[in-house]
């Protein structure tokens, strides 16, 4: 089971919010264009590290605010905003719950990496089904949506979504492993 102090959770929460702000929708040019969007990973990692349930609502609000700002002031197309936009709530919730599920099974052992991989893949698949499926079937942007066409679209977009979230989760896992290792070595009493 993963447990963190309130201070550590606050620091991680602020870092996740900053990551969402910097990478969502490509609002910042130059080097940020080289990095994949961290939106999905932020919701997953919030589930892993942050205990308060209200954090999910806060991140959902921040994501919506960022989308609104990008459209209203950033010149970003509003094509993706439709009646299906609400499907992002259960989609991002699925990632958050996948992170919570993993946090309950976490141990600082290599074997936990398989559990982490399962949580990331399943959470991402459910998120993709809900977000892309919601958009495809309920946005009104497609004249005659079919399950066959959606399956084709899912097969096309899921690998990219999985690669993006995996990038950020692997980076976070490496930082986590370094932090735990340094903490454990720093906590050992020195011989006299």
């Amino acid at each position: 089971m993963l447990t963190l102090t309130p201070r550590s959770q606050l620091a991680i929460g602020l870092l996740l919010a900053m990551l969402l702000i910097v990478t969502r929708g490509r609002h910042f040019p130059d080097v940020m264009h080289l990095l994949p969007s961290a939106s999905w990973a932020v919701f997953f990692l919030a589930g892993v590290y942050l205990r308060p349930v209200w954090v999910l609502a806060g991140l959902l609000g921040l994501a919506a605010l960022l989308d609104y700002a990008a459209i209203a002031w950033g010149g970003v197309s509003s094509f993706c905003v439709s009646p299906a936009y609400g499907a992002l709530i259960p989609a991002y919730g699925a990632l958050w719950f996948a992170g919570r599920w993993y946090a309950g099974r976490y141990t600082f052992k290599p074997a936990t990496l398989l559990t982490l991989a399962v949580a990331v893949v399943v959470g991402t698949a459910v998120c993709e089904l809900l977000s892309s499926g919601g958009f495809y079937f309920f946005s009104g942007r497609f004249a005659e949506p079919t399950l066959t066409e959606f399956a084709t679209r899912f097969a096309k977009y899921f690998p990219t979504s999985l690669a993006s979230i995996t990038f950020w989760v692997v980076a976070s896992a490496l930082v986590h492993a370094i932090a735990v290792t340094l903490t454990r070595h720093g906590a050992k009493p020195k011989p006299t």
Side-chain angles (χ1 to χ4, degrees), residues 22-127:
V22 171
T23 65
R24 186 170 180 89
R26 310 285 188 237
H27 307 304
F28 293 94
D30 302 327
V31 75
M32 287 300 137
H33 274 313
L34 301 175
L35 298 173
S37 173
S39 294
W40 289 21
V42 164
F43 285 94
F44 179 84
L45 293 169
V48 172
Y49 289 109
L50 308 177
R51 292 301 106 216
V53 175
W54 62 262
V55 170
L56 174 60
L59 288 172
L60 288 167
L62 178 58
L65 180 65
L66 291 169
D67 291 346
Y68 174 78
I71 293 165
W73 301 298
V76 173
S77 169
S78 63
F79 180 79
C80 290
V81 178
S82 70
Y85 189 79
L88 292 180
I89 295 170
Y92 291 164
L95 290 168
W96 186 79
F97 279 113
R100 286 289 257 232
W101 179 85
Y102 170 71
R105 287 147 186 81
Y106 165 82
T107 59
F108 191 67
K109 296 178 182 174
T112 198
L113 294 176
L114 179 59
T115 308
L116 176 61
V118 168
V120 169
V121 171
V122 171
T124 304
V126 173
C127 183

Side-chain angles (χ1 to χ4, degrees), residues 116-177:
L116 176 61
V118 168
V120 169
V121 171
V122 171
T124 304
V126 173
C127 183
E128 185 75 37
L129 285 169
L130 292 170
S131 63
S132 294
F135 184 72
Y136 180 70
F137 288 106
F138 303 112
S139 69
R141 306 281 197 246
F142 302 93
E144 296 181 29
T146 66
L147 285 175
T148 304
E149 176 62 25
F150 176 68
T152 302
R153 291 175 158 280
F154 182 87
K156 178 180 179 182
Y157 295 113
F158 178 69
T160 302
S161 298
L162 186 58
S164 292
I165 192 171
T166 299
F167 172 84
W168 291 108
V169 170
V170 167
S172 298
L174 290 172
V175 169
H176 178 92

Side-chain angles (χ1 to χ4, degrees), residues 11-27:
I12 291 169
L14 291 173
L15 285 171
L16 291 175
M18 287 176 27
L19 192 58
L20 186 65
I21 291 167
V22 171
T23 65
R24 186 170 180 89
R26 310 285 188 237
H27 307 304

